[in-house]
Structure formats: structure tokens, C-alpha cells
Amino acid sequence: MLTGTCGCGEVTYQMSSGPMFVHCCHCQECQKQTGSAYALNAIIEADRVEILGPVVENTLPTPSGKGQVITRCANCGTAVFSNYQVRMGKLRYIRVGTLDDPSQCPPDVQIFTSSKQPWVPLNPNIPIFENFYKFDKVWPAGSRARWRDIFGDGV
């Protein structure tokens, strides 16, 4: 079980399993939303995340046009996770930096590297994609099965 907190500790959460996959995203939206060079998001089924404490949600636009809902601590404003409306709220994209031990969720891929900051080195041992990728070519079989349990064969 993985656990995490916001910056002030008022919001806590636990994940009942490991994530399906972890993105290191270098897109400009992630840079703007995190105030950093990239975002690390651990993708997990929404029903496998229990969150306690006061939260607020902010909806932000996305390239899909469907938007993204970011869940933050109501006290300190730390973004704990997000969900993309294109995925119907069935997934949580846990901000890896809020985990009590972020080293438990290293990135599986580096995506949207075409817009990465030029001073950010990429790890050659983690798959690199200038934009996005095809799930069936990249995700391990067990993670694809979990995806199909939620969305069917639309991987």
C-alpha cells in the first residue's frame, strides 16, 4: 500500500495497489500547472485511492477539450492528483511527489519530450517519446488488463 500527503499534512491518501503506469510528462500544460519542468503522474484506478481531508477541485482546459480536474488540499493548495475528463473520472493521476516515498513510483516513460526544457536531461534507460505513445505497444500486459477492466478493449 502506498501512502501520501499534501504539503501541510491535512490531506492524506492511500493507494490499495501500485499504479498501472507512471508518466514523466514534459508537456507545456504540465510545466505550467506544476510550476516545474515536468510532472510525474502515477496512473491508478479511482476506486483504488482513498483520500481523507479537506480538498477542493479546479477544472483546467486540456488539448482534448474535455478538461482536467485537479484535486488540491483546501488548506495549502498542494495538487495531490488529477483526473482527465476524457477518462470519465475513472482514473487518478497521483502526483508522485506527494507520496511518502516517491522512489516507489519511478517513471515508466518520458512523454511530450518535444516540449521539454532544454536543460532537462532525459534518462536513456526510460523510454522517450516526443509526443504520446500507443498503449498496447508500451504498457505491460498486467496494466493493460487493468485498463480493460475499466474501459473495455479501447486501449
Side-chain angles (χ1 to χ4, degrees):
M1 184 170 311
L2 300 170
T3 60
T5 64
C6 65
C8 72
E10 286 293 312
V11 171
T12 62
Y13 66 89
Q14 58 186 22
M15 299 163 56
S16 63
S17 73
M20 291 188 284
F21 210 66
V22 179
H23 285 166
C24 177
C25 183
H26 295 270
C27 78
Q28 291 181 335
E29 280 99 17
C30 282
Q31 290 177 38
K32 186 174 291 288
Q33 292 169 15
T34 63
S36 185
Y38 51 84
L40 288 174
N41 291 309
I43 305 166
I44 187 169
E45 300 89 331
D47 63 1
R48 294 186 186 199
V49 180
E50 180 183 353
I51 187 163
L52 301 170
V55 297
V56 296
E57 294 182 335
N58 304 110
T59 302
L60 297 173
T62 58
S64 73
K66 296 198 178 204
Q68 168 184 203
V69 177
I70 299 177
T71 301
R72 301 175 181 279
C73 170
N75 294 322
C76 69
T78 299
V80 180
F81 65 84
S82 60
N83 69 71
Y84 293 88
Q85 298 303 73
V86 71
R87 301 286 180 231
M88 301 170 284
K90 294 182 178 184
L91 299 176
R92 298 286 180 258
Y93 290 70
I94 302 292
R95 301 290 170 92
V96 171
T98 65
L99 287 166
D100 293 331
D101 183 2
S103 70
Q104 292 181 304
C105 289
D108 293 302
V109 291
Q110 301 167 97
I111 58 175
F112 294 102
T113 60
S114 61
S115 55
K116 80 170 189 67
Q117 292 302 310
W119 43 265
V120 172
L122 297 175
N123 184 331
N125 298 319
I126 300 170
I128 298 167
F129 296 91
E130 286 190 9
N131 294 297
F132 206 65
Y133 57 85
K134 295 201 178 283
F135 287 92
D136 58 341
K137 303 268 188 227
V138 179
W139 281 37
S143 295
R144 290 193 317 267
R146 287 168 64 183
W147 180 280
R148 281 191 302 276
D149 286 345
I150 301 169
F151 299 108
D153 288 329
V155 175

